[in-house]
């Protein structure tokens, strides 16, 4: 295969920006003239990609089409940022010098206080006029990256550098040829530039980028090429795709490559297209998965999993990812190592296939499975075990499957961590204080200072060997409830022996399962302390009545003639303790009453200390005929229970 002009220049450029020498690609120090107030580590998240691509031989197939390298010696960097308190920093020039050792790209001393900062790292071509403000800096930028971080809890700003979002127009002047083969009779070819995530034409409706390419028998080498030109084009990262189609056939065959358009530069590559007509794609490689830090429960019960892979060839229509959920909770997971074992495992469990329609899935997070993409994120449920595989697909067939490897996490997005078990799993461990106060230090508990009544939540990966250490009930930290002693954890808020977890006197117990675990702090029981059976706190049928119409269970019909209001009555029934004994003189701390429809609230009332019959009046003056949601919500300590009633008003 002939050498494609400057096919690796972009990565050589990136390496030059970060490193002083391409012959010894190492880390770098960042120096600055700013006053020493805080140290910031700067890390470029596409470091490995830069090193790998820059060190490839010139005639090796690359993953990108890029413009020629920068004139002169490369680029210079500027860093600036703003924080949540309104403070600003920079723009300040950053100088990189060679260094060996850690994986950190560099450090800089900046006058940034301990706050949440939004940093921007900008690269300008060497020799460009020094910027006077951020707007000028961004206008002249050739690469840009962003990072958000809390300087109180971290010291590393991670950047992925790209031209995406910059505005200085570039030029496309590519030369295309079929690289040693002639277009078969009856086939036509079209070339275009497309958005990576959606696959849509990157041009406008009035000026699309897709154009017919008039390959002839002569255009089989670099000396006989066809022009593909666009005079002015926005910088960014795109997919350049050539489509081959035979007249009268419904099959199409694609060759594609990532296209990096840098501001103010010209892409004048001579690009040879291999013969991919009728050829199935090659299997993707380096398929990884990791969990995105701090993504747990942003959507209640879910977390974000990041997938990453490398294209095996450049002729796929799209990729397919299958995610297998293991169902058997009582036996060890046997990971599939072949297609037959995958089929057997998916028969015992269940699997979901994600394809070109990936972005329309309910649990979609970001990325794409369309041609040219190598990253995708989706939300998976907490407390479940998964495995995954990927393949490439086109109109000629499918590649072999590639199983996911969990030894290393994807590089992006920032904060992606590897799964520490053998499966894709994150679970929630929640400690309910149950009316008690948590003290990290036993001395503080003795003095009754520095405690918290908030429930504690943490997230973990399955570890069937060591497990997750559970807070011990007779050690430090400690939980106190008035003068009563924290006794043990309960898995369901009950005191039966079967419900208990980590009792005092026993060896500390680690949690080695993979499912979500709720633990309730239980305290010494005596005549003045009642441990509630949480099920008995739930609102029961018959506790609520209405003076107009009919009410059956959670369905009500109210026929309105001249009435101006309806009275609902809430009467708490029998509530028992964990030993099954009735709690005398029980009262809910608060009961809320609401009437809603289509997101609009028509009534909202509440009553405190509800232990006997309590009326809630519902005004009818603003309620036309229709279906409404009447909701009673009762609160006791840390427990909240609800009782929805679908109510139809007729007139």
């Amino acid at each position: 295969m002939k050498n494609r002009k400057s096919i690796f220049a972009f990565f050589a450029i990136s390496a030059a920006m970060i490193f002083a020498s391409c012959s010894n690609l190492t880390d770098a120090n960042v120096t600055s003239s700013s006053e020493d107030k805080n140290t910031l580590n700067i890390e470029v998240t596409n470091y490995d990609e830069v090193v790998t691509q820059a060190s490839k031989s010139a005639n090796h197939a690359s993953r990108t089409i890029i413009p020629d390298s920068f004139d002169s010696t490369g680029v210079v960097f500027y860093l600036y940022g703003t924080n949540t308190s309104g403070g600003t920093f920079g723009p300040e020039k950053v100088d990189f010098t060679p260094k060996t050792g850690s994986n950190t790209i560099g450090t800089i001393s900046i006058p940034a206080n301990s706050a949440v900062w939004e940093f921007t790292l900008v690269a300008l071509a060497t020799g460009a006029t020094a910027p006077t403000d951020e707007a000028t800096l961004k206008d002249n930028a050739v690469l840009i990256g962003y990072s958000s971080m809390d300087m109180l809890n971290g010291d590393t700003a991670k950047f992925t550098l790209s031209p995406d979002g910059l505005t200085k127009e570039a030029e496309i002047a590519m030369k295309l040829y079929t690289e040693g083969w002639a277009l078969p009779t009856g086939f036509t070819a079209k070339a275009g530039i497309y958005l990576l995530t959606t696959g849509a034409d990157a041009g406008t409706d009035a000026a699309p980028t897709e154009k017919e390419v008039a390959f002839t028998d002569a255009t089989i080498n670099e000396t006989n090429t066809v022009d593909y030109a666009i005079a002015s084009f926005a910088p960014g990262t795109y997919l350049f795709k050539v489509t081959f189609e035979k007249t009268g056939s419904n099959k199409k065959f694609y060759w594609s490559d990532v296209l990096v358009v840098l501001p103010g530069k010209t892409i004048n590559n001579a690009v040879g297209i291999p013969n991919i007509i009728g050829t199935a794609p090659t299997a993707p490689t380096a398929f990884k998965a990791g969990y995105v830090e701090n993504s747990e429960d942003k959507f209640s019960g879910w977390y974000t999993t990041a997938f990453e892979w490398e294209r095996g060839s450049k002729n796929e229509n799209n990729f397919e990812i299958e995610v297998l959920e293991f169902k058997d909770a009582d036996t060890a997971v046997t990971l599939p190592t072949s297609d037959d074992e995958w089929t057997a495992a998916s028969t015992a469990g269940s699997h979901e296939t994600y394809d070109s329609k990936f972005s329309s899935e309910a649990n979609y997070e970001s990325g794409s499975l369309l041609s040219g993409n190598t990253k995708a994120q989706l939300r998976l449920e907490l407390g479940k075990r998964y495995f995954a595989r990927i393949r490439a697909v086109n109109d000629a067939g499918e590649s072999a499957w590639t199983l996911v490897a969990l030894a290393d996490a994807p590089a992006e997005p920032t904060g992606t961590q590897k799964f520490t078990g053998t499966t894709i799993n994150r679970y929630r461990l929640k400690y309910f204080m149950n009316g008690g106060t948590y003290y990290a230090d036993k001395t503080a508990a003795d003095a009754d200072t520095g405690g918290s009544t908030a429930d504690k939540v943490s997230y973990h990966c399955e570890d069937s060997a060591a497990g997750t250490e559970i807070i011990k009930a007779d050690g430090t930290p400690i939980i106190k409830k008035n003068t009563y002693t924290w006794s043990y954890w309960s898995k369901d808020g009950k005191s039966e022996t079967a419900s208990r977890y980590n009792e005092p006197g026993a060896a500390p117990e680690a949690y080695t399962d993979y499912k979500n675990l709720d633990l309730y702090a239980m305290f010494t029981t005596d005549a003045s302390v009642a441990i509630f059976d949480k099920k008995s706190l739930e609102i029961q049928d018959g506790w609520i009545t209405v003076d107009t119409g009919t009410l059956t269970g959670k369905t009500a019909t109210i026929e309105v003639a001249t009435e101006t209001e309806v009275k609902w009555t809430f009467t708490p029934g029998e509530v028992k303790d964990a030993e099954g004994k009735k709690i005398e003189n029980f009262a809910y701390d608060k009961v809320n009453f609401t009437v809603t429809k289509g997101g609009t609230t028509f009534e909202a009332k509440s009553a405190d200390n509800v232990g006997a019959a309590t009326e809630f009046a519902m005004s009818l003056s603003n309620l036309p005929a229709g279906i409404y949601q009447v909701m009673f919500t009762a609160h006791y300590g840390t427990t909240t229970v609800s009782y929805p009633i679908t109510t139809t008003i007729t007139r």
Side-chain angles (χ1 to χ4, degrees):
M1 184 178 291
K2 288 184 179 290
N3 176 27
R4 294 174 191 158
K5 184 180 179 184
S6 302
I7 203 74
F8 302 97
F10 173 71
F11 293 103
I13 295 162
S14 301
M17 292 184 294
I18 304 172
F19 312 105
S21 171
C22 288
S23 61
N24 182 22
L25 294 173
T26 58
D27 295 339
N29 283 330
V30 183
T31 59
S32 168
S33 59
S34 60
E35 180 183 353
D36 290 340
K37 291 188 177 179
N38 218 327
T39 298
L40 175 69
N41 297 316
I42 297 175
E43 182 177 333
V44 177
T45 59
N46 51 352
Y47 169 80
D48 290 335
E49 183 177 79
V50 171
V51 172
T52 302
Q53 295 292 340
S55 62
K56 282 186 177 179
S57 58
N59 62 355
H60 194 287
S62 80
R63 66 175 293 272
T64 56
I65 302 171
I66 36 66
D68 287 337
S69 60
F70 293 100
D71 297 332
S72 68
T73 58
V75 299
V76 292
F77 279 95
Y78 287 87
L79 181 73
Y80 63 91
T82 59
N83 67 22
T84 51
S85 303
T88 62
F89 162 76
E92 182 174 340
K93 185 179 178 183
V94 179
D95 296 321
F96 288 78
T97 56
K99 176 196 166 198
T100 58
S102 71
N103 288 327
T104 301
I105 300 303
T107 59
I108 181 173
S109 296
I110 63 173
N113 59 9
S114 297
V116 176
W117 282 82
E118 299 290 338
F119 288 113
T120 302
L121 185 66
V122 171
L124 300 183
T126 299
T129 304
T132 57
D133 53 59
E134 294 172 14
T136 304
L137 181 61
K138 192 170 182 179
D139 285 344
N140 295 326
V142 292
L143 287 168
I144 194 166
Y146 305 92
S147 179
S148 177
M149 64 168 298
D150 185 349
M151 292 287 287
L152 180 63
N153 298 312
D155 60 3
T156 301
K158 299 183 179 182
F159 299 90
T160 299
L161 298 174
S162 80
D164 298 349
L166 300 178
T167 57
K168 192 174 183 180
E169 294 288 308
E171 180 182 357
I172 311 293
M174 298 168 65
K175 309 289 185 180
L176 309 181
Y177 60 100
T178 53
E179 198 170 47
W181 61 282
L183 195 66
T185 302
F187 274 85
T188 58
K190 293 181 180 179
I193 302 173
Y194 306 88
L195 302 179
L196 272 168
T197 302
T198 65
D201 195 301
T204 64
D205 292 339
T209 68
E210 187 176 84
K211 304 174 183 181
E212 187 165 336
V213 181
F215 288 128
T216 68
D217 289 347
T219 55
I220 62 173
N221 56 59
E222 195 169 347
T223 61
N224 296 282
T225 58
V226 178
D227 290 337
Y228 179 85
I230 301 175
S232 183
F233 199 71
T237 306
Y238 304 95
L239 184 74
F240 178 72
K241 182 169 66 177
V242 182
T243 304
F244 300 98
E245 183 176 12
K246 187 174 183 179
T247 304
S249 172
N250 61 356
K251 290 188 176 181
K252 296 181 180 181
F253 301 97
Y254 305 99
W255 177 90
S256 62
D257 206 349
V258 175
L259 175 70
V260 178
V261 181
L262 297 177
K265 301 295 292 182
T266 298
I267 294 182
N268 57 1
N269 301 73
V271 180
I273 314 298
N275 186 0
I276 47 78
I277 294 175
T279 303
T282 304
T285 60
F287 185 37
K288 303 176 182 179
Y291 66 89
V292 179
E293 253 183 344
N294 302 319
S295 65
E296 299 91 351
D297 275 330
K298 287 187 176 180
F299 289 83
S300 181
W302 302 76
Y303 68 98
T304 299
T305 296
F307 292 104
E308 178 182 278
W309 61 95
E310 293 179 10
R311 299 173 72 188
S313 55
K314 299 183 179 182
N315 63 327
E316 74 280 345
N317 291 4
N318 62 273
F319 298 96
E320 289 182 352
I321 289 179
E322 281 192 353
V323 176
L324 167 66
E325 177 190 338
F326 295 100
K327 288 291 189 183
D328 192 350
D330 301 319
T331 60
V333 167
T334 300
L335 299 178
T337 60
S338 66
D339 290 350
D340 289 343
E341 290 180 1
W342 180 279
T343 301
S346 61
T347 300
S350 65
H351 72 276
E352 184 77 23
T353 301
Y354 301 92
D355 53 23
S356 58
K357 301 182 181 65
F358 176 64
S359 61
S360 63
E361 297 287 345
N363 56 334
Y364 168 79
E365 185 72 21
S366 68
S368 176
L369 298 184
L370 295 176
S371 175
N373 284 275
T374 57
K375 296 177 178 64
Q377 297 175 46
L378 75 158
R379 294 185 290 274
L380 295 177
E381 287 192 67
L382 289 163
K384 294 186 177 182
R385 295 178 294 184
Y386 300 93
F387 208 57
R389 64 180 183 173
I390 190 172
R391 70 179 177 182
V393 177
N394 69 12
D395 281 358
E398 303 86 20
S399 75
W401 289 101
T402 300
L403 293 169
V404 71
L406 304 180
D408 298 299
E412 297 178 37
T414 300
T416 300
Q417 302 294 325
K418 72 175 183 178
F419 293 101
T420 55
T422 59
T423 64
I424 296 171
N425 168 261
R426 290 290 279 169
Y427 67 85
R428 180 199 313 110
L429 176 58
K430 187 167 185 177
Y431 299 95
F432 290 88
M433 294 301 103
N434 216 8
T437 302
Y438 173 89
Y439 296 89
D441 187 327
K442 199 167 185 177
T443 303
D446 293 338
D448 198 23
T449 60
S452 171
T453 59
D455 299 330
K456 302 185 74 62
V457 180
S458 59
Y459 300 93
H460 310 271
C461 296
E462 177 190 13
D463 185 345
S464 58
T468 299
E469 185 177 351
I470 303 297
I471 297 173
K472 194 72 173 80
D474 56 355
T476 295
I478 194 169
I479 302 172
K480 291 182 63 177
K481 184 176 181 179
N482 300 322
T483 59
Y484 307 110
T485 304
W486 174 30
S487 197
Y488 56 89
W489 292 112
S490 168
K491 290 183 282 187
D492 55 10
K494 298 181 180 180
S495 62
E496 286 91 341
T497 301
S499 302
R500 299 183 181 185
Y501 201 98
N502 260 17
E503 291 191 71
E509 189 172 354
Y511 183 67
T512 58
D513 210 339
Y514 65 91
K515 293 172 285 188
N516 296 331
L517 177 65
D518 291 341
L519 296 175
Y520 299 84
M522 305 296 279
F523 304 89
T524 300
T525 304
D526 61 21
S528 61
V529 178
I531 301 176
F532 286 91
D533 175 1
K534 290 185 176 294
K535 291 292 292 183
S536 74
L537 290 171
E538 295 180 359
I539 301 170
Q540 307 296 319
D541 293 345
W543 289 16
I544 299 169
T545 58
V546 63
D547 68 349
T548 301
T550 60
L551 171 61
T552 304
K554 295 181 180 180
T555 303
T557 301
I558 298 175
E559 298 176 356
V560 178
T562 59
E563 292 86 349
T564 59
E565 69 176 20
V566 173
K567 292 181 180 178
W568 298 79
T569 303
F570 179 86
T571 307
E574 187 175 88
V575 175
K576 298 179 180 180
D577 65 16
E579 305 296 335
K581 299 176 182 178
K582 180 180 178 181
I583 304 293
E584 300 295 338
N585 302 317
F586 170 80
Y588 287 103
D589 297 333
K590 176 176 285 191
V591 174
N592 295 324
F593 170 79
T594 59
V595 181
T596 60
K597 179 181 180 182
T600 302
T601 300
F602 294 90
E603 199 85 68
K605 296 180 178 179
S606 65
D608 295 328
N609 195 32
V610 178
T614 303
E615 286 187 353
F616 296 90
M618 182 175 77
S619 174
L620 298 173
S621 58
N622 294 322
L623 299 182
I627 299 176
Y628 297 82
Q629 186 82 349
V630 172
M631 179 72 77
F632 284 86
T633 305
H635 308 270
Y636 185 82
T638 61
T639 301
T640 299
V641 292
S642 299
Y643 194 92
I645 302 172
T646 301
T647 304
T648 302
I649 297 178
T650 61
R651 293 183 180 275

